[in-house]
Amino acid sequence: MNRAPLILTLELATITTAVLFVVSLPVAWWLAHSRSRLKPVIETLVSMPLVLPPTVLGFYFLIFFSPGNAFGRWLNEWLGIKLVFSFEGLVVASVLYSLPFMVHPIQSGIKGLPDSLSEASYVMGKSGITTFFRVLLPNIKASVLTGIVLSFAHTVGEFGVILMIGGNIPGKTRVASIAIYDEVEALNYPEANFYSMVLLIIAFSILLLVYLINGGYFRKSGINTK
């Protein structure tokens, strides 16, 4: 069994989730508190991957990042970055495609916090950054955990965007979802079953862990998860 697609999938999902976590915090905070007239436009752009067919999004990523396009040519010639048919391109596309799966839960968590929390922190002389990371963020742990899990699982299972922007290059852009499709086309069902079963076990394990943590199972069992 070739494990390279599975390893590449886990690397992609891990990096994408980490980048998404950093990017989504300020975006979610701004969406939760902003009264700007641009807010509906930004919310729409963030949510677009939820309703847009992945192949459509992947097609426009391919066009936008292609060296034949002005932006893609600028990235290639000035920064030496090639996003089409590369692992870096997969990361960028996955971050954009999975953005709502991280932003929406965190945004909901922030909106659900009482104003008295931040007001009490400010009265005690804490800065805005300290208030966010030391007071507010710990109180939306469940929302953050939900965003991390959804983003990771969504990236692991993505097919259309990955195929468009990354192609199917073994060892470079051939992730597990692409490998499953290839093996089914070749009627190699045992190999396809191997990839599918591993992804199924990963998804089940992650979701089970989230439900156990959010349900307070570890606290009830006396297991400290902090």
Side-chain angles (χ1 to χ4, degrees):
M1 297 292 180
N2 181 11
R3 292 175 172 78
L6 292 169
I7 295 172
L8 195 65
T9 300
L10 295 178
E11 288 179 356
L12 175 64
T14 302
I15 295 173
T16 298
T17 303
V19 174
L20 270 172
F21 177 70
V22 175
V23 171
S24 298
L25 285 179
V27 175
W29 176 263
W30 186 84
L31 290 176
H33 293 285
S34 175
R35 295 181 179 177
S36 169
R37 293 181 179 179
L38 289 176
K39 180 179 175 180
V41 178
I42 303 301
E43 282 188 311
T44 301
L45 290 174
V46 170
S47 302
M48 280 286 282
L50 294 174
V51 296
L52 202 60
T55 48
V56 173
L57 199 60
F59 171 73
Y60 283 114
F61 284 155
L62 179 64
I63 297 298
F64 191 62
F65 296 142
S66 169
N69 181 281
F71 180 70
R73 187 164 55 249
W74 177 79
L75 284 177
N76 197 8
E77 293 178 357
W78 289 88
L79 301 179
I81 299 174
K82 183 184 176 184
L83 295 181
V84 175
F85 305 132
S86 68
F87 183 77
E88 292 79 7
L90 294 187
V91 172
V92 173
S94 298
V95 166
L96 295 174
Y97 187 62
S98 297
L99 190 60
F101 294 90
M102 182 73 83
V103 170
H104 286 174
I106 296 177
Q107 181 184 354
S108 298
I110 293 173
K111 289 179 71 173
L113 290 175
D115 294 336
S116 56
L117 274 178
S118 53
E119 290 171 358
S121 179
Y122 294 143
V123 168
M124 295 177 68
K126 304 298 182 184
S127 66
I129 295 178
T130 301
T131 299
F132 181 77
F133 284 103
R134 302 291 296 274
V135 179
L136 303 183
L137 198 57
N139 282 283
I140 58 169
K141 283 187 296 186
S143 300
V144 172
L145 183 60
T146 300
I148 290 174
V149 170
L150 289 178
S151 302
F152 188 90
H154 187 251
T155 305
V156 166
E158 178 44 36
F159 177 81
V161 171
I162 298 296
L163 186 61
M164 282 287 182
I165 193 69
N168 186 4
I169 306 173
K172 192 173 181 182
T173 63
R174 189 174 186 247
V175 296
S177 58
I178 305 294
I180 292 171
Y181 178 78
D182 282 348
E183 300 303 340
V184 170
E185 269 204 324
L187 302 181
N188 188 4
Y189 292 147
E191 190 85 11
N193 180 57
F194 169 70
Y195 295 133
S196 301
M197 186 59 66
V198 171
L199 294 188
L200 190 152
I201 292 172
I202 290 174
F204 178 83
S205 302
I206 292 175
L207 286 175
L208 178 62
L209 181 63
V210 170
Y211 283 125
L212 290 175
I213 293 175
N214 287 343
Y217 174 81
F218 292 115
R219 287 195 299 272
K220 294 172 185 174
S221 303
I223 301 173
N224 189 3
T225 59
K226 295 182 179 179

